[in-house]
């Protein structure tokens, strides 16, 4: 069994590195989105300005965001790195950072401390003291704690006398957790308080100078290159929650999650696109707008990078509308569905938020229309010559229906057909396919959708003993025989599972690559090789 290396350019390596870092940050946040939603519901109903104020239940709001959510994030991050043991010590260290942050604020803000001491209930106390909520602190402490615990355990691995393993394991984690809590209390709390102060001041300055819409110049292109989760959950969510805890809402939750630009782009392809891209765009628009899986529109933008300008303009329009009319959410909208956005609207600002979505979609649609129309003749000529990116793939799929086709033979020999119809270097000379994994950045959105589509195709083909699952790229392991990813993420997937067959797709919903995979596994079964 041999493998072939796939050379990566410096740009590709940098992109993979940034994506991997962003995935780790979002991986700590995304599993805890249900807790954020629960906090948003508590806030919506029970605080003094909520729909049904209940002072007793409102006392849950402050501790929920100040203690529970950061500790959940820390535990998740530690667990990713070093299992339950890493999660436990990360939680201990983060609690030290939380307490240290409160102590620093109390020491430097006497008036806030007096208001906190005089507050009549727990909810008012949290509002009065103005704590820094340790979301970023948790994302810093989790890797420090988990990696250091793993390093320490490796120092005495295999050197403990029989019968003393549990004693050493328990006390080492407890003692090191004690040390980490002190580290969190002093340097980490000071660092995070300073970071949050700088970032908050920067956001306030952007708002005061009416420059917040300029953030779309960074956010929209970064999203297209699959950094959406890193931006939203790694940066905007912690800042937004800090603002929401202080004022009851934050516009930052809408900077990345607004579904308007994406649906505007997909509607432009629906009416003015060509070939299979036009045919698939309506279904993608439904999934993006109502299902909240924004990744489905990224390949359409990458087909014609000029369209990123339309996304930037749409994003800026949405942000400007919310700035002028007071549109904001009380908690993150995740996934970025219109339903999730509506559910988290704060201060009855439904008109502003919905108008921001409509205007963002309209502006993106109009600019995309201009770009698509301007290049239509050239695209039609290219399509006639090469059958375009989507069309060429469909042609190969039709050929793959015969067992001797080049596409099928390429897959059987371990080669993955690329999104542009070419053949990528083989990752293996031969591999029996039993476990197929569709992997994406977070392992929840596009991968679940793609896995469902492929699972149904394999079932209809009558193929048994082949499992199709979805995972985050970071969770890939050697059990995967064939890995399917979006072509921007394939390099990362190869690094995780170099011995698997890797297939790149552009269109998550109906990629011709799925039919080729089905032909491969069916042929293996018919040949008796699986």
């Amino acid at each position: 069994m041999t493998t072939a290396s796939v050379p990566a350019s410096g740009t590709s390596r940098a992109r993979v590195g940034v994506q991997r870092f962003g995935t780790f940050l979002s991986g700590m946040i995304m599993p805890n989105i249900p807790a954020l939603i629960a906090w948003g519901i508590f806030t919506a109903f029970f605080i003094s300005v909520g729909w049904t104020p209940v002072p007793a239940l409102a006392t849950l709001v402050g501790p929920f965001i100040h203690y529970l959510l950061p500790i959940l994030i820390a535990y998740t991050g530690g667990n990713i790195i070093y299992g339950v043991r890493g999660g436990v010590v990360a939680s201990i260290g983060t609690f030290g950072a939380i307490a240290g942050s409160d102590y620093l604020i109390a020491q430097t803000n006497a008036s806030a401390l007096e208001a906190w001491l005089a507050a009549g209930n727990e909810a008012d106390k949290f509002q009065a003291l103005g704590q820094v909520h340790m979301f970023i602190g948790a994302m810093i402490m989790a890797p420090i704690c988990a990696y250091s615990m793993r390093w320490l355990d490796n120092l005495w691995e295999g050197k403990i006398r029989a019968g003393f393993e549990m004693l050493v394991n328990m006390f080492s984690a407890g003692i090191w957790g004690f040390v980490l809590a002190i580290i969190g209390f002093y340097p980490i709390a000071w660092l995070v308080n300073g970071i949050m102060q700088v970032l908050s001041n920067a956001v306030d300055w952007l708002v005061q100078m009416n420059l917040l819409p300029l953030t779309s110049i960074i956010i929209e292109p970064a999203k297209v290159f699959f950094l959406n989760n890193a931006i939203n959950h790694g940066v905007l969510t912690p800042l937004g929650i800090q603002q929401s805890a202080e004022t009851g809402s934050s516009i930052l939750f809408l900077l990345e999650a607004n579904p308007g630009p994406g649906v505007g782009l997909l509607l432009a392809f629906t009416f003015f696109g060509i070939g299979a891209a036009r045919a698939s765009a309506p279904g993608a628009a439904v999934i993006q707008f109502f299902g909240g899986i924004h990744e489905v529109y990224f390949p359409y933008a990458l087909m014609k990078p000029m369209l990123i300008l339309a996304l930037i303009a749409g994003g800026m329009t949405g942000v400007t509308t919310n700035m002028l009319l007071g549109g904001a959410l009380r908690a993150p909208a995740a996934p970025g569905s219109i339903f999730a956005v509506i559910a988290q609207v704060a201060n009855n600002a439904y008109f502003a938020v919905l108008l921001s979505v409509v205007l963002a979609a309209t502006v993106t649609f109009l600019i995309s229309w201009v770009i698509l129309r301007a290049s239509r003749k050239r695209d039609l000529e290219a399509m006639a010559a090469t059958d375009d990116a989507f069309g060429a793939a469909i042609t190969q799929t039709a050929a793959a229906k015969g067992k001797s086709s080049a596409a099928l033979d390429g897959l059987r020999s371990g080669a993955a057909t690329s999104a542009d119809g070419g053949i990528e270097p083989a990752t293996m000379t031969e591999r029996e396919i039993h476990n197929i994994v569709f992997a994406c950045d977070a392992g929840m959105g596009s991968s679940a959708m793609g896995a469902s589509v492929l699972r149904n195709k394999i079932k209809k083909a009558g193929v048994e003993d082949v499992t199709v699952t979805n995972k985050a790229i970071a969770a890939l392991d050697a059990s995967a025989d064939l890995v399917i990813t979006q072509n921007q993420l394939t390099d990362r997937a190869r690094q995780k599972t170099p011995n698997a067959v890797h297939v790149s797709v552009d269109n998550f919903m109906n990629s011709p690559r799925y039919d080729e995979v089905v032909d491969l596994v069916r042929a293996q079964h018919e040949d008796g090789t699986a």
Side-chain angles (χ1 to χ4, degrees), residues 433-488:
I433 307 302
H434 295 284
N435 183 20
I436 300 174
V437 179
F438 201 120
C440 71
D441 189 53
M444 300 180 185
S446 57
S447 62
M449 180 178 64
S452 177
V453 172
L454 183 59
R455 193 180 299 116
N456 290 335
K457 286 180 176 289
I458 289 179
K459 183 177 180 181
K460 289 179 181 178
V463 178
E464 299 179 353
D465 299 327
V466 173
T467 61
V468 181
T469 57
N470 57 285
K471 289 183 179 180
I473 290 177
L476 288 173
D477 54 41
S479 65
D481 299 315
L482 187 148
V483 179
I484 304 175
T485 49
Q486 206 280 337
N487 54 19
Q488 291 288 321

Side-chain angles (χ1 to χ4, degrees), residues 205-237:
W205 181 81
L206 288 172
V207 172
Q208 292 172 7
M209 301 299 292
N210 296 320
L211 296 177
L212 196 60
L214 294 181
T215 58
S216 296
I217 296 174
I218 298 174
I219 291 173
E220 296 301 331
K223 287 176 65 176
V224 170
F225 289 99
F226 289 83
L227 297 174
N228 53 316
N229 290 325
I231 291 172
N232 195 24
H233 302 307
V235 180
L236 298 178
T237 293

Side-chain angles (χ1 to χ4, degrees), residues 28 70 72 86 94 212 260-261 290 305 352 354 449 463 492:
M28 288 189 274
L72 281 175
T94 298
L212 196 60
F290 296 107
L354 293 177
M449 180 178 64
V463 178
R492 288 173 56 201

Side-chain angles (χ1 to χ4, degrees), residues 285-310:
V286 171
I287 292 171
Q288 186 266 348
F289 193 68
F290 296 107
I293 302 176
H294 287 206
E295 289 89 344
V296 297
Y297 78 80
F298 299 168
Y300 292 83
L302 291 172
M303 286 175 61
K304 193 177 292 295
M306 278 287 290
L307 291 169
I308 295 176
L309 296 177

Side-chain angles (χ1 to χ4, degrees), residues 103-299:
Y103 177 79
L104 285 173
I105 292 174
Q107 289 292 307
T108 58
N109 193 340
S111 61
L113 180 60
E114 291 177 5
W116 181 79
L117 293 172
N121 58 61
E122 197 68 19
D124 291 339
K125 285 189 175 187
F126 273 86
Q127 187 69 23
L129 191 54
Q131 290 103 328
V132 172
H133 302 301
M134 280 288 117
F135 286 78
I136 291 180
M139 288 188 279
I140 293 173
M141 287 300 296
I144 291 175
C145 296
Y147 279 122
S148 62
M149 189 73 252
R150 187 169 69 181
W151 176 76
L152 286 173
D153 284 346
N154 288 337
L155 291 180
W156 48 72
E157 184 177 4
K159 301 176 182 177
I160 304 172
R161 296 176 65 90
F164 288 85
E165 294 87 355
M166 180 178 291
L167 180 68
V168 172
N169 287 339
M170 293 299 179
F171 269 84
S172 62
I175 293 170
W176 188 238
F178 162 79
V179 173
L180 291 168
I182 294 177
I183 294 173
F185 192 95
Y186 286 108
I188 299 300
W190 177 85
L191 174 66
V192 174
N193 279 15
I195 291 174
M196 292 302 295
Q197 186 64 47
V198 170
L199 292 176
S200 297
N201 290 342
V203 171
D204 291 341
W205 181 81
L206 288 172
V207 172
Q208 292 172 7
M209 301 299 292
N210 296 320
L211 296 177
L212 196 60
L214 294 181
T215 58
S216 296
I217 296 174
I218 298 174
I219 291 173
E220 296 301 331
K223 287 176 65 176
V224 170
F225 289 99
F226 289 83
L227 297 174
N228 53 316
N229 290 325
I231 291 172
N232 195 24
H233 302 307
V235 180
L236 298 178
T237 293
L239 288 174
I241 289 175
Q242 185 71 32
Q243 284 191 351
S244 184
E246 296 170 358
T247 64
S249 65
S250 176
I251 191 177
L252 300 182
F253 294 133
L254 285 165
L255 297 188
E256 188 274 343
N258 189 332
V263 76
L265 177 70
L266 292 170
L267 289 175
F269 269 96
T270 299
F271 292 104
F272 308 111
I274 60 175
R278 178 176 182 174
S280 61
V286 171
I287 292 171
Q288 186 266 348
F289 193 68
F290 296 107
I293 302 176
H294 287 206
E295 289 89 344
V296 297
Y297 78 80
F298 299 168

